[in-house]
Structures are given as structure tokens and as C-alpha cells.
Amino acid sequence: MGKVENGPNTIIDGFLDNHVTLLCPTFYYDGEIYPDEYNYKNNGVDYSVQRVRKKLSFYDDSTQIDKSMGLLPKTILNYSQSIRTHNPLSSFVALGYHAEKLMESQNLLNVYSCYKNIVKSNLKSYILLAGVNLTKCTPIHY
């Protein structure tokens, strides 16, 4: 995409100026805690590739987003009108006219409900991937 004057806010504001509601994953992996490898030898975690976790609690702060989510979702979190779900691992942020409708039913057992809400409401929607391929496309899980 290259450099954009005024950074990611220009892109976000461009969508908002055209009455687009934005929905992005804002996953936070540092809140995951794995069992100590010496106590659970057969727990399915490959400790040879697992990075050390910080063991931080999720308190729904705009800084609590994994770097792999990208700059746009991180920036959207800082908009005062944005709405973030309160899932400690798989949160989403929405911004725009339909934000509340998309986020209303997400909970710990219904992680991808925002996508279900798009389908149920027949909202015209698009998936935008920037700088990544389809293996990074979150709706594939829905």
C-alpha cells in the first residue's frame, strides 16, 4: 500500500466518511497461560516452539492487542466511538453506524458472532486483507 499521508487514520476516516462500518479482530495472545511443561508432558503444547508468555490479565485496554493484528485495528481501538468486545483472547473492534449491532452477541462461547450478525442482518459486506494472504483471514473460522 505504501505510505499514506496522516497514516492509518486517513484510511479509517475515508471509510467512515463513506458510511462504512469497520470490523476487525483485536486478539490478545499475551493473556494465554500454558501449563508448566514439567507438570503436563502430554498437554498438546510444543514447548520447543512456544514463546514465553507474559501472563498478563486482559483488562480491555487499547494497548492489549497482538502485533500480528496490524496497525488498522490497533488504531481503531483508539477512536472514542469504537466498540470492543470483552473476550480476553478473541476480541473484536467495530467502528461506524452498525458497530453496536455487529458486536451485541459476542461472548466467551460465541466468539465469531459478529460475522453471524453480518449474515443475519443481510448487511452488504466485504473482506479487506492488507499485506497478508487468506491464511490470515479471520472469518474463515466462522
Side-chain angles (χ1 to χ4, degrees), residues 59-89:
Y59 51 89
D60 198 14
D61 176 292
S62 64
T63 63
Q64 289 186 304
I65 178 173
D66 196 79
K67 186 177 181 178
S68 67
M69 298 294 107
L71 188 56
L72 288 177
K74 183 175 178 62
T75 303
I76 291 170
L77 282 173
N78 291 304
Y79 276 69
S80 62
Q81 317 90 309
S82 70
I83 299 171
R84 187 181 195 180
T85 59
H86 300 289
N87 188 302
L89 176 63

Coordinates of all heavy atoms in Angstrom, one line a residue, residues 59-89:
Y59 N -7.6 -6.6 30.4 CA -8.4 -5.5 31.1 C -8.9 -4.5 30.0 O -9.3 -3.4 30.4 CB -7.6 -4.8 32.2 CG -6.3 -4.3 31.8 CD1 -6.1 -3.0 31.2 CD2 -5.1 -5.1 32.0 CE1 -4.9 -2.5 30.9 CE2 -3.9 -4.6 31.6 CZ -3.8 -3.3 31.1 OH -2.5 -2.9 30.7
D60 N -9.0 -5.0 28.8 CA -9.7 -4.2 27.7 C -9.1 -2.9 27.5 O -9.8 -1.8 27.5 CB -11.2 -4.2 28.0 CG -12.0 -3.8 26.8 OD1 -11.4 -3.8 25.7 OD2 -13.1 -3.4 26.9
D61 N -7.8 -2.8 27.3 CA -7.1 -1.6 27.1 C -6.7 -1.5 25.6 O -6.4 -2.6 25.0 CB -5.9 -1.6 28.0 CG -5.0 -0.4 27.8 OD1 -4.3 -0.3 26.8 OD2 -4.8 0.4 28.8
S62 N -6.6 -0.4 25.0 CA -6.3 -0.3 23.6 C -4.8 -0.7 23.3 O -4.5 -1.0 22.2 CB -6.4 1.2 23.1 OG -5.5 2.0 23.8
T63 N -4.0 -0.9 24.3 CA -2.7 -1.4 24.1 C -2.6 -2.9 24.1 O -1.7 -3.5 23.7 CB -1.7 -0.9 25.2 OG1 -2.1 -1.4 26.5 CG2 -1.6 0.6 25.3
Q64 N -3.7 -3.6 24.5 CA -3.8 -5.0 24.6 C -4.3 -5.6 23.3 O -5.5 -5.9 23.1 CB -4.6 -5.5 25.8 CG -3.9 -5.2 27.1 CD -4.6 -5.8 28.2 OE1 -5.8 -5.5 28.5 NE2 -4.0 -6.7 29.0
I65 N -3.4 -5.7 22.3 CA -3.7 -6.2 21.0 C -2.4 -6.8 20.5 O -1.3 -6.2 20.6 CB -4.3 -5.2 20.1 CG1 -4.5 -5.7 18.7 CG2 -3.4 -3.9 20.0 CD1 -5.3 -4.8 17.7
D66 N -2.5 -8.0 19.9 CA -1.3 -8.7 19.4 C -0.8 -7.9 18.2 O -1.6 -7.4 17.4 CB -1.6 -10.1 19.0 CG -0.4 -10.9 18.9 OD1 0.2 -11.3 19.9 OD2 0.1 -11.1 17.7
K67 N 0.5 -7.8 18.1 CA 1.1 -7.0 17.0 C 0.7 -7.6 15.6 O 0.6 -6.9 14.6 CB 2.6 -7.1 17.1 CG 3.4 -6.2 16.1 CD 4.9 -6.3 16.3 CE 5.6 -5.4 15.3 NZ 7.0 -5.3 15.5
S68 N 0.4 -8.9 15.6 CA 0.0 -9.6 14.3 C -1.3 -9.1 13.8 O -1.6 -9.3 12.6 CB 0.0 -11.1 14.5 OG -1.0 -11.5 15.3
M69 N -2.1 -8.4 14.6 CA -3.4 -7.9 14.2 C -3.3 -6.7 13.2 O -4.1 -6.4 12.4 CB -4.3 -7.5 15.4 CG -4.6 -8.6 16.3 SD -5.7 -9.8 15.6 CE -4.5 -11.2 15.4
G70 N -2.1 -6.0 13.3 CA -1.9 -4.9 12.3 C -2.2 -3.6 12.9 O -2.7 -3.4 14.0
L71 N -1.8 -2.6 12.1 CA -1.9 -1.2 12.5 C -3.3 -0.6 12.5 O -3.7 0.2 13.4 CB -1.0 -0.3 11.7 CG -0.8 1.1 12.1 CD1 -0.3 1.3 13.5 CD2 0.2 1.8 11.1
L72 N -4.1 -1.0 11.5 CA -5.5 -0.5 11.4 C -6.4 -0.9 12.7 O -7.0 0.0 13.3 CB -6.2 -0.9 10.1 CG -5.7 -0.2 8.9 CD1 -6.4 -0.8 7.6 CD2 -5.8 1.3 8.9
P73 N -6.4 -2.1 13.0 CA -7.2 -2.5 14.2 C -6.7 -1.8 15.5 O -7.5 -1.3 16.3 CB -7.1 -4.0 14.4 CG -6.7 -4.5 13.0 CD -5.9 -3.4 12.4
K74 N -5.4 -1.7 15.6 CA -4.8 -1.0 16.8 C -5.2 0.5 16.8 O -5.5 1.0 17.9 CB -3.3 -1.1 16.8 CG -2.6 -0.5 18.0 CD -1.1 -0.8 18.0 CE -0.4 -0.2 19.1 NZ -0.8 -0.7 20.4
T75 N -5.2 1.1 15.7 CA -5.6 2.5 15.6 C -7.1 2.7 15.8 O -7.5 3.6 16.5 CB -5.2 3.1 14.2 OG1 -3.8 2.9 14.0 CG2 -5.5 4.5 14.1
I76 N -7.9 1.8 15.3 CA -9.4 1.9 15.5 C -9.7 1.8 17.0 O -10.6 2.5 17.5 CB -10.1 0.8 14.7 CG1 -10.0 1.0 13.3 CG2 -11.6 0.6 15.2 CD1 -10.5 -0.1 12.4
L77 N -8.9 1.0 17.8 CA -9.2 0.9 19.2 C -9.0 2.3 19.9 O -9.6 2.5 21.0 CB -8.1 -0.1 19.9 CG -8.4 -1.5 19.7 CD1 -7.3 -2.4 20.3 CD2 -9.7 -1.9 20.4
N78 N -8.3 3.2 19.3 CA -8.1 4.5 19.9 C -9.2 5.5 19.6 O -9.1 6.6 20.1 CB -6.7 5.0 19.6 CG -5.6 4.2 20.3 OD1 -5.7 4.1 21.5 ND2 -4.7 3.6 19.5
Y79 N -10.1 5.1 18.7 CA -11.2 6.0 18.4 C -12.2 5.9 19.5 O -12.6 4.9 19.9 CB -11.9 5.6 17.1 CG -11.2 6.1 15.8 CD1 -10.0 5.7 15.4 CD2 -11.8 7.1 15.0 CE1 -9.3 6.2 14.3 CE2 -11.2 7.5 13.9 CZ -10.0 7.1 13.5 OH -9.4 7.6 12.4
S80 N -12.7 7.1 20.0 CA -13.6 7.1 21.1 C -14.9 6.4 20.8 O -15.6 5.9 21.8 CB -13.8 8.5 21.6 OG -14.4 9.3 20.6
Q81 N -15.3 6.4 19.6 CA -16.6 5.7 19.2 C -16.5 4.2 19.0 O -17.5 3.6 18.7 CB -17.2 6.4 18.0 CG -17.1 7.9 17.9 CD -15.9 8.4 17.2 OE1 -14.8 8.0 17.5 NE2 -16.0 9.3 16.2
S82 N -15.3 3.7 19.0 CA -15.1 2.3 18.7 C -15.7 1.4 19.9 O -15.8 1.9 21.0 CB -13.6 1.9 18.5 OG -12.9 2.0 19.7
I83 N -16.1 0.2 19.5 CA -16.7 -0.7 20.5 C -15.9 -2.0 20.4 O -15.7 -2.5 19.3 CB -18.2 -1.0 20.1 CG1 -19.0 0.2 20.2 CG2 -18.7 -2.1 21.1 CD1 -20.4 0.0 19.6
R84 N -15.4 -2.4 21.5 CA -14.6 -3.7 21.6 C -15.3 -4.7 22.4 O -15.8 -4.4 23.5 CB -13.2 -3.4 22.2 CG -12.3 -4.6 22.1 CD -11.0 -4.3 22.8 NE -10.0 -5.3 22.4 CZ -8.7 -5.3 22.8 NH1 -8.3 -4.3 23.6 NH2 -7.9 -6.2 22.4
T85 N -15.3 -5.9 21.9 CA -15.9 -7.0 22.8 C -14.9 -7.3 23.9 O -13.8 -7.0 23.8 CB -16.2 -8.2 21.9 OG1 -15.0 -8.7 21.3 CG2 -17.2 -7.9 20.8
H86 N -15.5 -8.0 24.9 CA -14.7 -8.2 26.1 C -14.2 -9.6 26.2 O -14.0 -10.2 27.3 CB -15.5 -7.9 27.3 CG -16.0 -6.5 27.3 ND1 -15.1 -5.4 27.6 CD2 -17.2 -5.9 27.1 CE1 -15.7 -4.3 27.5 NE2 -17.0 -4.5 27.2
N87 N -13.9 -10.3 25.1 CA -13.3 -11.6 25.1 C -11.8 -11.5 25.4 O -11.1 -10.8 24.6 CB -13.6 -12.3 23.8 CG -13.2 -13.7 23.8 OD1 -12.1 -14.1 24.0 ND2 -14.2 -14.6 23.5
P88 N -11.3 -12.1 26.4 CA -9.9 -11.9 26.7 C -8.9 -12.4 25.7 O -7.8 -12.0 25.7 CB -9.7 -12.7 28.0 CG -10.9 -13.6 28.1 CD -12.0 -13.0 27.3
L89 N -9.3 -13.3 24.8 CA -8.4 -13.9 23.8 C -8.8 -13.4 22.4 O -8.0 -12.9 21.6 CB -8.4 -15.4 23.8 CG -7.5 -16.1 22.8 CD1 -6.1 -15.7 22.9 CD2 -7.7 -17.6 22.9

